[in-house]
CSV table of all heavy atoms in Angstrom, one decimal:
chain,number,residue,atom,x,y,z
A,23,LEU,N,145.3,98.9,51.8
A,23,LEU,CA,146.4,98.9,50.9
A,23,LEU,C,146.1,99.8,49.7
A,23,LEU,O,145.0,99.8,49.2
A,23,LEU,CB,146.7,97.5,50.4
A,23,LEU,CG,146.9,96.4,51.4
A,23,LEU,CD1,147.2,95.1,50.7
A,23,LEU,CD2,148.0,96.8,52.3
A,24,SER,N,147.1,100.6,49.3
A,24,SER,CA,146.9,101.4,48.0
A,24,SER,C,147.4,100.5,46.9
A,24,SER,O,148.3,99.7,47.0
A,24,SER,CB,147.7,102.7,48.1
A,24,SER,OG,149.1,102.4,48.1
A,25,ILE,N,146.7,100.6,45.7
A,25,ILE,CA,147.0,99.7,44.6
A,25,ILE,C,146.7,100.5,43.3
A,25,ILE,O,145.7,101.2,43.2
A,25,ILE,CB,146.3,98.4,44.7
A,25,ILE,CG1,146.9,97.4,43.6
A,25,ILE,CG2,144.8,98.6,44.5
A,25,ILE,CD1,146.3,96.0,43.8
A,26,GLN,N,147.5,100.3,42.3
A,26,GLN,CA,147.3,100.8,41.0
A,26,GLN,C,147.3,99.7,40.0
A,26,GLN,O,148.0,98.7,40.1
A,26,GLN,CB,148.5,101.8,40.6
A,26,GLN,CG,148.5,103.1,41.4
A,26,GLN,CD,149.6,104.0,41.0
A,26,GLN,OE1,150.8,103.7,41.1
A,26,GLN,NE2,149.3,105.1,40.4
A,27,LEU,N,146.4,99.9,39.0
A,27,LEU,CA,146.4,99.0,37.8
A,27,LEU,C,147.4,99.4,36.8
A,27,LEU,O,147.4,100.5,36.3
A,27,LEU,CB,145.0,99.0,37.2
A,27,LEU,CG,144.8,98.3,35.9
A,27,LEU,CD1,145.1,96.8,36.0
A,27,LEU,CD2,143.5,98.5,35.3
A,28,GLY,N,148.4,98.5,36.5
A,28,GLY,CA,149.4,98.7,35.5
A,28,GLY,C,149.1,98.0,34.3
A,28,GLY,O,148.8,96.7,34.3
A,29,ILE,N,149.0,98.6,33.1
A,29,ILE,CA,148.8,98.0,31.8
A,29,ILE,C,150.2,97.8,31.2
A,29,ILE,O,150.9,98.7,31.0
A,29,ILE,CB,147.9,98.9,30.9
A,29,ILE,CG1,146.6,99.2,31.6
A,29,ILE,CG2,147.7,98.2,29.6
A,29,ILE,CD1,145.8,98.0,32.0
A,30,TYR,N,150.4,96.5,30.9
A,30,TYR,CA,151.8,96.1,30.5
A,30,TYR,C,151.8,95.7,29.1
A,30,TYR,O,151.0,94.9,28.6
A,30,TYR,CB,152.2,94.9,31.4
A,30,TYR,CG,153.5,94.3,31.1
A,30,TYR,CD1,154.7,94.9,31.2
A,30,TYR,CD2,153.5,92.9,30.6
A,30,TYR,CE1,155.9,94.3,30.9
A,30,TYR,CE2,154.7,92.3,30.3
A,30,TYR,CZ,155.9,93.0,30.4
A,30,TYR,OH,157.1,92.4,30.1
A,31,GLU,N,152.8,96.2,28.4
A,31,GLU,CA,153.1,95.8,27.0
A,31,GLU,C,154.5,95.2,27.0
A,31,GLU,O,155.5,95.9,27.2
A,31,GLU,CB,153.0,96.9,26.0
A,31,GLU,CG,153.3,96.5,24.6
A,31,GLU,CD,153.1,97.6,23.6
A,31,GLU,OE1,152.5,98.7,24.0
A,31,GLU,OE2,153.6,97.5,22.4
A,32,PRO,N,154.7,93.9,26.8
A,32,PRO,CA,156.0,93.3,26.8
A,32,PRO,C,157.0,94.0,25.8
A,32,PRO,O,156.6,94.2,24.7
A,32,PRO,CB,155.8,91.8,26.5
A,32,PRO,CG,154.3,91.6,26.7
A,32,PRO,CD,153.6,92.9,26.4
A,33,PRO,N,158.2,94.3,26.3
A,33,PRO,CA,159.2,94.9,25.4
A,33,PRO,C,159.7,93.8,24.5
A,33,PRO,O,159.7,92.6,24.8
A,33,PRO,CB,160.3,95.4,26.3
A,33,PRO,CG,160.2,94.5,27.5
A,33,PRO,CD,158.7,94.2,27.7
A,34,ARG,N,160.3,94.2,23.4
A,34,ARG,CA,160.9,93.3,22.5
A,34,ARG,C,162.1,92.6,23.1
A,34,ARG,O,162.3,91.4,22.9
A,34,ARG,CB,161.4,94.0,21.2
A,34,ARG,CG,160.3,94.5,20.3
A,34,ARG,CD,160.8,95.1,19.0
A,34,ARG,NE,159.7,95.6,18.2
A,34,ARG,CZ,159.9,96.2,17.0
A,34,ARG,NH1,161.2,96.5,16.6
A,34,ARG,NH2,158.9,96.6,16.3
A,35,GLU,N,162.8,93.3,24.0
A,35,GLU,CA,163.9,92.7,24.8
A,35,GLU,C,164.1,93.5,26.0
A,35,GLU,O,163.8,94.7,26.0
A,35,GLU,CB,165.2,92.6,24.0
A,35,GLU,CG,165.8,94.0,23.5
A,35,GLU,CD,167.1,93.8,22.9
A,35,GLU,OE1,167.9,93.0,23.3
A,35,GLU,OE2,167.4,94.6,22.0
A,36,TRP,N,164.6,92.9,27.1
A,36,TRP,CA,164.8,93.6,28.3
A,36,TRP,C,166.2,94.2,28.2
A,36,TRP,O,167.2,93.6,28.7
A,36,TRP,CB,164.7,92.6,29.5
A,36,TRP,CG,163.2,92.5,29.9
A,36,TRP,CD1,162.4,91.5,29.5
A,36,TRP,CD2,162.5,93.4,30.7
A,36,TRP,NE1,161.2,91.7,30.0
A,36,TRP,CE2,161.2,92.8,30.8
A,36,TRP,CE3,162.8,94.5,31.4
A,36,TRP,CZ2,160.2,93.4,31.5
A,36,TRP,CZ3,161.8,95.2,32.1
A,36,TRP,CH2,160.5,94.6,32.2
A,37,ASP,N,166.3,95.4,27.7
A,37,ASP,CA,167.6,96.0,27.6
A,37,ASP,C,167.8,97.0,28.8
A,37,ASP,O,166.9,97.2,29.6
A,37,ASP,CB,167.8,96.7,26.2
A,37,ASP,CG,166.7,97.7,25.9
A,37,ASP,OD1,165.9,98.1,26.9
A,37,ASP,OD2,166.5,98.1,24.8
A,38,ALA,N,168.9,97.8,28.8
A,38,ALA,CA,169.2,98.7,29.9
A,38,ALA,C,168.1,99.8,30.0
A,38,ALA,O,167.7,100.2,31.1
A,38,ALA,CB,170.6,99.3,29.7
A,39,ALA,N,167.6,100.3,28.8
A,39,ALA,CA,166.6,101.3,28.8
A,39,ALA,C,165.3,100.8,29.5
A,39,ALA,O,164.7,101.6,30.3
A,39,ALA,CB,166.3,101.8,27.4
A,40,CYS,N,164.9,99.6,29.2
A,40,CYS,CA,163.7,99.0,29.8
A,40,CYS,C,163.8,98.9,31.3
A,40,CYS,O,162.9,99.2,32.0
A,40,CYS,CB,163.3,97.7,29.1
A,40,CYS,SG,162.7,97.8,27.5
A,41,ARG,N,165.0,98.4,31.7
A,41,ARG,CA,165.2,98.2,33.1
A,41,ARG,C,165.2,99.5,33.9
A,41,ARG,O,164.7,99.6,35.0
A,41,ARG,CB,166.5,97.4,33.3
A,41,ARG,CG,166.5,96.0,32.8
A,41,ARG,CD,167.7,95.2,33.2
A,41,ARG,NE,167.5,93.8,32.8
A,41,ARG,CZ,168.0,93.3,31.6
A,41,ARG,NH1,168.5,94.1,30.7
A,41,ARG,NH2,167.8,92.0,31.4
A,42,GLN,N,165.8,100.5,33.2
A,42,GLN,CA,165.9,101.9,33.9
A,42,GLN,C,164.5,102.5,34.0
A,42,GLN,O,164.2,103.1,35.0
A,42,GLN,CB,166.8,102.8,33.0
A,42,GLN,CG,167.1,104.1,33.7
A,42,GLN,CD,168.1,105.0,32.9
A,42,GLN,OE1,168.4,104.6,31.8
A,42,GLN,NE2,168.5,106.1,33.5
A,43,ARG,N,163.7,102.3,33.0
A,43,ARG,CA,162.4,102.8,33.0
A,43,ARG,C,161.5,102.1,34.1
A,43,ARG,O,160.8,102.8,34.9
A,43,ARG,CB,161.7,102.7,31.7
A,43,ARG,CG,160.3,103.3,31.7
A,43,ARG,CD,159.6,103.2,30.3
A,43,ARG,NE,158.3,103.8,30.4
A,43,ARG,CZ,157.3,103.6,29.5
A,43,ARG,NH1,157.5,102.8,28.5
A,43,ARG,NH2,156.1,104.1,29.7
A,44,LEU,N,161.7,100.8,34.2
A,44,LEU,CA,160.9,100.1,35.2
A,44,LEU,C,161.4,100.5,36.6
A,44,LEU,O,160.5,100.7,37.5
A,44,LEU,CB,161.1,98.6,35.0
A,44,LEU,CG,160.3,97.7,36.0
A,44,LEU,CD1,158.8,97.8,35.7
A,44,LEU,CD2,160.7,96.2,35.8
A,45,ALA,N,162.7,100.7,36.8
A,45,ALA,CA,163.2,101.1,38.1
A,45,ALA,C,162.6,102.5,38.5
A,45,ALA,O,162.3,102.7,39.6
A,45,ALA,CB,164.7,101.1,38.1
A,46,GLY,N,162.6,103.4,37.5
A,46,GLY,CA,162.0,104.7,37.7
A,46,GLY,C,160.6,104.7,38.1
A,46,GLY,O,160.2,105.4,39.0
A,47,LEU,N,159.8,103.8,37.4
A,47,LEU,CA,158.4,103.7,37.8
A,47,LEU,C,158.2,103.2,39.2
A,47,LEU,O,157.3,103.6,39.9
A,47,LEU,CB,157.7,102.8,36.7
A,47,LEU,CG,157.5,103.4,35.3
A,47,LEU,CD1,157.0,102.3,34.4
A,47,LEU,CD2,156.5,104.5,35.4
A,48,ALA,N,159.0,102.2,39.5
A,48,ALA,CA,158.9,101.5,40.8
A,48,ALA,C,159.2,102.5,41.9
A,48,ALA,O,158.6,102.6,43.0
A,48,ALA,CB,159.7,100.3,40.9
A,49,ALA,N,160.3,103.3,41.7
A,49,ALA,CA,160.7,104.3,42.7
A,49,ALA,C,159.7,105.4,42.8
A,49,ALA,O,159.3,105.8,43.9
A,49,ALA,CB,162.1,104.9,42.3
A,50,PHE,N,159.2,105.9,41.7
A,50,PHE,CA,158.2,107.0,41.7
A,50,PHE,C,156.9,106.6,42.4
A,50,PHE,O,156.3,107.4,43.1
A,50,PHE,CB,157.9,107.5,40.3
A,50,PHE,CG,157.0,108.6,40.2
A,50,PHE,CD1,157.3,109.9,40.5
A,50,PHE,CD2,155.6,108.4,39.8
A,50,PHE,CE1,156.4,111.0,40.4
A,50,PHE,CE2,154.7,109.4,39.7
A,50,PHE,CZ,155.1,110.7,40.0
A,51,GLY,N,156.5,105.4,42.1
A,51,GLY,CA,155.2,104.9,42.6
A,51,GLY,C,155.4,104.3,44.0
A,51,GLY,O,154.4,103.8,44.6
A,52,LYS,N,156.6,104.2,44.5
A,52,LYS,CA,156.9,103.6,45.8
A,52,LYS,C,156.3,102.2,45.9
A,52,LYS,O,155.7,101.8,46.9
A,52,LYS,CB,156.3,104.5,46.9
A,52,LYS,CG,157.0,105.9,47.0
A,52,LYS,CD,156.4,106.7,48.1
A,52,LYS,CE,157.0,108.1,48.1
A,52,LYS,NZ,156.4,109.0,49.2
A,53,ALA,N,156.5,101.5,44.8
A,53,ALA,CA,155.9,100.1,44.7
A,53,ALA,C,156.6,99.2,45.7
A,53,ALA,O,157.8,98.9,45.5
A,53,ALA,CB,156.0,99.6,43.3
A,54,ARG,N,155.9,98.6,46.6
A,54,ARG,CA,156.5,97.6,47.5
A,54,ARG,C,156.1,96.2,47.1
A,54,ARG,O,156.8,95.2,47.4
A,54,ARG,CB,156.0,97.9,49.0
A,54,ARG,CG,156.6,99.2,49.5
A,54,ARG,CD,156.2,99.3,51.0
A,54,ARG,NE,156.6,98.2,51.8
A,54,ARG,CZ,156.0,97.8,53.0
A,54,ARG,NH1,155.1,98.6,53.5
A,54,ARG,NH2,156.4,96.8,53.6
A,55,PHE,N,154.9,96.1,46.5
A,55,PHE,CA,154.5,94.7,46.0
A,55,PHE,C,153.9,94.9,44.6
A,55,PHE,O,153.4,95.9,44.2
A,55,PHE,CB,153.6,94.0,47.0
A,55,PHE,CG,152.2,94.6,47.1
A,55,PHE,CD1,151.2,94.1,46.3
A,55,PHE,CD2,151.9,95.7,47.9
A,55,PHE,CE1,149.9,94.6,46.4
A,55,PHE,CE2,150.6,96.2,48.0
A,55,PHE,CZ,149.6,95.7,47.2
A,56,ALA,N,153.8,93.8,43.9
A,56,ALA,CA,153.2,93.7,42.6
A,56,ALA,C,152.5,92.4,42.4
A,56,ALA,O,153.0,91.3,42.7
A,56,ALA,CB,154.2,93.9,41.5
A,57,ILE,N,151.2,92.4,42.0
A,57,ILE,CA,150.4,91.2,41.7
A,57,ILE,C,150.6,91.1,40.2
A,57,ILE,O,150.0,91.8,39.4
A,57,ILE,CB,149.0,91.4,42.2
A,57,ILE,CG1,148.9,91.6,43.7
A,57,ILE,CG2,148.2,90.1,41.8
A,57,ILE,CD1,147.5,92.0,44.1
A,58,ASN,N,151.3,90.1,39.8
A,58,ASN,CA,151.7,89.9,38.4
A,58,ASN,C,150.6,89.0,37.7
A,58,ASN,O,150.6,87.8,37.9
A,58,ASN,CB,153.1,89.3,38.2
A,58,ASN,CG,153.5,89.2,36.8
A,58,ASN,OD1,152.9,89.8,35.9
A,58,ASN,ND2,154.4,88.3,36.5
A,59,ARG,N,149.7,89.6,36.9
A,59,ARG,CA,148.7,88.8,36.2
A,59,ARG,C,149.0,88.9,34.7
A,59,ARG,O,148.1,88.8,33.9
A,59,ARG,CB,147.3,89.4,36.5
A,59,ARG,CG,146.9,89.4,38.0
A,59,ARG,CD,146.5,88.1,38.5
A,59,ARG,NE,145.3,87.6,37.9
A,59,ARG,CZ,144.7,86.4,38.2
A,59,ARG,NH1,145.3,85.6,39.0
A,59,ARG,NH2,143.6,86.1,37.6
A,60,THR,N,150.2,89.0,34.3
A,60,THR,CA,150.6,89.2,32.9
A,60,THR,C,151.1,87.9,32.3
A,60,THR,O,151.3,87.8,31.1
A,60,THR,CB,151.7,90.2,32.8
A,60,THR,OG1,153.0,89.6,33.3
A,60,THR,CG2,151.4,91.5,33.4
A,61,ARG,N,151.4,86.8,33.1
A,61,ARG,CA,152.0,85.6,32.7
A,61,ARG,C,153.4,85.7,32.2
A,61,ARG,O,154.0,84.8,31.7
A,61,ARG,CB,151.2,84.9,31.6
A,61,ARG,CG,149.8,84.5,32.0
A,61,ARG,CD,149.2,83.5,31.0
A,61,ARG,NE,147.9,83.0,31.4
A,61,ARG,CZ,146.7,83.4,31.0
A,61,ARG,NH1,146.7,84.3,30.0
A,61,ARG,NH2,145.6,82.8,31.4
A,62,ASP,N,154.0,86.9,32.4
A,62,ASP,CA,155.4,87.2,32.0
A,62,ASP,C,156.4,87.0,33.2
A,62,ASP,O,156.4,87.9,34.0
A,62,ASP,CB,155.5,88.6,31.4
A,62,ASP,CG,156.8,88.8,30.7
A,62,ASP,OD1,157.8,88.1,31.0
A,62,ASP,OD2,156.8,89.7,29.8
């Protein structure tokens, strides 16, 4: 499996810009799964 470490900084709020950026990152990185160790 290929895996990347993502360093996460929680946004102040989940607005349209945050969602768009996350969608772009997921598409660019071809992310199929995420191991969420952020507690968020």
